[in-house]
Amino acid sequence: FEVYREDYAEIEESKQMTLELCDGVELPATSLSAQDSADVMRFWILAPCQPLRMSPSIQGFVESSCAWCLARVDEKGLEFNGLARTSRESSWNMLETNAAALAAIVHGKLELTEKFPGWLPNPHSTLAKVSVTAHEHVAHKPPVVYSVHAGLECGIIMSSVPGLEAISIGPLVEAPHTTQERVSIATV
């Protein structure tokens, strides 16, 4: 714990941890076996929770990522839920293959549910250029144009209409999906 405290001192408040061994205490029915506990530890050690591929053409833009964000234990067993995102449709196979391999290593079963279609940003599209010109005309200054790594409706709509161009316009959101999330009112 002291190593973690030192490694994260710049971003985490100093806390303390205590560990108490409780011999002879009856464990709840949902307690994990030693094998299941070892599998959980393997899962957390190996599970990607980070950007997995950066864009080769847009500096600083995350193309693919995976985040394992929820664990639940009940009578049926242990369940982990994750969220994978990619802007590049061809990356889904890699993400799914990695998740299947992880499930096999921890003696689990993989169930794939919803996925957003990929949407690669195209800052040189006709729509993007027209939008920049329109913003300059109205605001008398160029817009701030950037790409974000998010599951947006644009990918869903574009997958239904081949050749469709799209842009997304929205406010500046800082620290999204955290307790520190905030939005810049001036950008709304």
Side-chain angles (χ1 to χ4, degrees), residues 154-166:
C154 297
I156 297 169
I157 296 167
M158 291 173 68
S159 70
S160 300
V161 184
L164 182 68
E165 292 182 357

Side-chain angles (χ1 to χ4, degrees), residues 79-187:
E79 178 181 306
F80 292 102
N81 291 320
L83 175 63
R85 293 180 179 164
T86 183
S87 302
R88 188 173 296 276
E89 198 63 29
S90 61
S91 292
W92 279 117
N93 185 51
M94 179 242 346
L95 292 167
E96 292 171 3
T97 300
N98 289 351
L102 179 59
I105 287 170
V106 300
H107 308 97
K109 177 180 78 171
L110 176 65
E111 179 183 331
L112 300 172
T113 56
E114 305 172 51
K115 69 179 181 183
F116 279 95
W119 172 36
L120 278 174
N122 183 358
H124 307 293
S125 72
T126 301
L127 180 59
K129 291 176 183 176
V130 167
S131 299
V132 166
T133 301
H135 183 280
E136 289 172 343
H137 177 73
V138 171
H140 307 294
K141 63 180 181 178
V144 177
V145 178
Y146 57 95
S147 300
V148 297
H149 180 60
L152 298 175
E153 295 80 2
C154 297
I156 297 169
I157 296 167
M158 291 173 68
S159 70
S160 300
V161 184
L164 182 68
E165 292 182 357
I167 61 169
S168 179
I169 301 172
L172 175 63
V173 178
E174 297 177 6
H177 312 300
T178 72
T179 58
Q180 301 300 311
E181 181 172 344
R182 55 196 175 279
V183 64
S184 168
I185 297 299
T187 65

Side-chain angles (χ1 to χ4, degrees), residues 59-82:
Q59 185 175 14
F61 177 62
V62 176
E63 274 192 3
S64 300
S65 70
C66 189
W68 294 93
C69 47
L70 181 65
R72 178 175 41 239
V73 179
D74 61 23
E75 310 77 42
K76 295 181 237 169
L78 177 65
E79 178 181 306
F80 292 102
N81 291 320

